[in-house]
């Protein structure tokens, strides 16, 4: 079978399964099997697939048709210029979180400090922690997660990116490990992409998320804010260095509630929109 024919078959299979972007996903899977780029595929539509390549491609397409996330099938996800290993142990890093990293990086640069201490709460795959460690060559980043499985994968990513010396991973609930280990005024930034999907929204999510990604990384209770409330109640103010800040990624329409929770504790709060115009990021200073 020629590449073009195989791709046409795959696109139809994915269309029938209501996969959101069938053409794009079919190309990614074929490029993965052939160990080439999507661009090269388009230059070689008339090339023949070997029996082994066709068998491998067929299996991957059928897996995607069952709504297994593309990133889990490929085993990796690009994030802020890095390639991260991902699997069912962690949620797949989103484009919105890349924007969070850029906003945090800008604020850290504005501080004008050479040696930076950053905490990433709910680190998952290590995406935020590793992206910030790669951007700031003299930074130390502490990633915390309550999932031991997620931390195993984050450690694998840190090793792959040669960042284990500057990215330390700790098991624990929210900031508890930081409170136990570090003295006051240690961190220039505490970043947290915590679960924020409400129970109602969870039931409406695509099968890729609802049936395959870890609930512990995504679900935040009836209004989505159970974990974020607990985070705000921790003594995070004590952990921040002078002019340090907290950065949160939140769900759509949650900004007023989160802002109110922080202001009740006398934080100075600002909100930033994502590229879709949604109030997605909350920043708080002492």
């Amino acid at each position: 079978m020629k590449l073009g024919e195989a791709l046409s078959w795959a696109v139809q299979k994915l269309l029938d399964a209501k996969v959101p972007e069938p053409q794009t996903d079919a190309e990614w899977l074929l490029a993965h099997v052939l160990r080439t780029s999507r661009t090269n595929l388009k230059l070689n539509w008339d090339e023949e697939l070997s029996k082994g390549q066709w068998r491998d491609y067929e299996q991957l397409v059928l897996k995607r048709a069952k709504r297994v996330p593309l990133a889990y099938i490929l085993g990796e996800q690009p994030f802020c210029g890095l390639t991260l290993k991902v699997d069912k142990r962690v949620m797949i890093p989103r484009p919105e979180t890349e924007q969070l990293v850029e906003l945090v990086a800008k604020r850290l640069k504005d501080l004008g400090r050479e040696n930076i201490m950053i905490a990433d709460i709910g680190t998952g795959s290590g995406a935020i922690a590793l992206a910030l460690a790669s951007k700031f060559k003299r930074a130390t980043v502490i990633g915390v997660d309550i999932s031991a499985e997620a931390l195993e994968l984050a450690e694998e990513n840190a090793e792959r990116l040669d960042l284990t010396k500057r990215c330390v991973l700790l098991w624990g609930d929210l900031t508890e490990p930081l409170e136990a280990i570090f003295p006051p005024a240690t961190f220039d930034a505490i970043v947290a992409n915590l679960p924020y999907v409400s129970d109602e929204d969870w039931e409406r999510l695509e099968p890729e998320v609802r049936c395959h990604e870890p609930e512990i990384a995504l679900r935040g209770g009836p209004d989505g804010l159970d974990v974020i409330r607990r985070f705000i109640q921790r003594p995070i103010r004590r952990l921040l260095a002078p002019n340090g800040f907290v950065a949160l990624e939140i769900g759509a329409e949650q900004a007023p509630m989160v802002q109110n929770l922080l202001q009740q504790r006398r934080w100075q709060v600002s909100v930033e929109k994502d590229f879709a115009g949604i109030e997605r990021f909350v920043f708080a200073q002492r």
Side-chain angles (χ1 to χ4, degrees), residues 3 16 23 39 54 73 87 95 127:
L3 267 62
D16 293 343
Q23 179 75 31
T39 301
W54 164 246
I73 297 172
D87 59 32

Side-chain angles (χ1 to χ4, degrees), residues 156-172:
E156 291 174 37
N157 279 321
E159 290 173 359
R160 289 175 63 181
L161 297 168
D162 195 26
L163 289 170
T164 54
K165 291 182 180 178
R166 295 192 296 108
C167 190
V168 179
L169 300 167
L170 301 175
W171 177 85

